[in-house]
Amino acid sequence: MAQEKDPVIKPRDGEPQPTKIQITEDLEATGDTAAAYDYWRAGSGRTQVPGIIKCFGARPDFLRQVVDFSNTVHFSQGHLARRHKEMIASYVSYLNRCPY
């Protein structure tokens, strides 16, 4: 019996790449998910929710925990400034061909 391989996310060509995670878009978010997105917006000062946050839209309770953890670990003061941490995270996502 041959094993199925996971689909490979190929480099972007301007088209969104399929993911295994169901994404809840901003306009589709209702109830607890919409509230969790608003929670992220209030803490980030940004208006558009990024894909990495939308990955947790199916579990808004967990999304809030992820946001709090991320703010504590990734964006607290330390040896690197926030902008440097975000540059590193962006580059790692690029190397991993992460569509989020």
Side-chain angles (χ1 to χ4, degrees):
M1 177 184 234
Q3 280 188 323
E4 268 187 55
K5 289 187 176 182
D6 289 337
V8 175
I9 297 173
K10 296 180 181 176
R12 296 180 188 190
D13 58 0
E15 293 295 320
Q17 300 298 314
T19 66
K20 293 182 178 185
I21 300 170
Q22 182 173 340
I23 302 295
T24 304
E25 296 296 340
D26 290 357
L27 297 176
E28 299 168 350
T30 60
D32 290 339
T33 301
Y37 285 3
D38 288 341
Y39 179 74
W40 179 84
R41 283 187 194 97
S44 71
R46 295 167 56 190
T47 57
Q48 187 175 3
V49 178
I52 191 66
I53 298 297
K54 293 176 187 175
C55 289
F56 299 102
R59 287 283 313 274
D61 57 320
F62 187 61
L63 169 56
R64 286 176 181 258
Q65 292 175 6
V66 168
V67 169
D68 290 339
F69 178 78
S70 178
N71 287 337
T72 301
V73 174
H74 295 135
F75 304 123
S76 61
Q77 290 299 327
H79 295 303
L80 296 175
R82 179 178 177 149
R83 68 186 179 131
H84 292 117
K85 292 175 186 178
E86 289 200 27
M87 286 189 311
I88 292 167
S90 295
Y91 185 64
V92 169
S93 292
Y94 167 78
L95 291 175
N96 290 326
R97 296 186 177 123
C98 179
Y100 312 121

